[in-house]
Amino acid sequence: MKPDWDKLMTAFKDSATTLIADVDCTADGKSLCEEIGIQGYPSIKHGDPSDLQDYEGARDFEGLKKFAEGLGPLCSPANIDLCD
């Protein structure tokens, strides 16, 4: 999955609304991974940073890309115009 994930990060590197990133839970990112409840590797989370959800979809490039293309900003103080 790592090569497809790296390809996805490259595809979205200039996106103004979607961040695709990775964290090494065995090194510097260990405390973050514990905080957000990562229990196995590889794990994919998405959504509001204060309420990340588990990703359950396809793990090949095309499936990941299709899912990521549907992501965008959520209702928040910074995006009040998106709130109902």
Side-chain angles (χ1 to χ4, degrees), residues 1 6-10 12 15 19 25 28-29 36 40 45 50 61 76:
M1 189 180 105
D6 289 344
K7 187 175 174 182
L8 188 70
M9 285 194 303
T10 299
F12 283 84
S15 174
L19 171 66
C25 293
D28 293 338
I36 61 174
K45 299 275 190 175
S50 65
F61 176 73
S76 70

Side-chain angles (χ1 to χ4, degrees), residues 5-72:
W5 189 258
D6 289 344
K7 187 175 174 182
L8 188 70
M9 285 194 303
T10 299
F12 283 84
K13 69 179 173 125
D14 296 323
S15 174
T17 59
T18 304
L19 171 66
I20 308 293
D22 59 13
V23 175
D24 185 347
C25 293
T26 65
D28 293 338
K30 188 173 183 176
S31 63
L32 174 62
C33 294
E34 290 172 354
E35 180 183 328
I36 61 174
I38 300 292
Q39 296 181 8
Y41 313 111
S43 293
I44 299 174
K45 299 275 190 175
H46 68 93
D48 185 313
S50 65
D51 185 30
L52 292 172
Q53 303 298 309
D54 292 328
Y55 171 75
E56 303 289 341
R59 291 182 174 239
D60 63 323
F61 176 73
E62 289 304 320
L64 291 164
K65 182 174 182 260
K66 182 176 180 181
F67 181 79
E69 288 171 341
L71 298 174

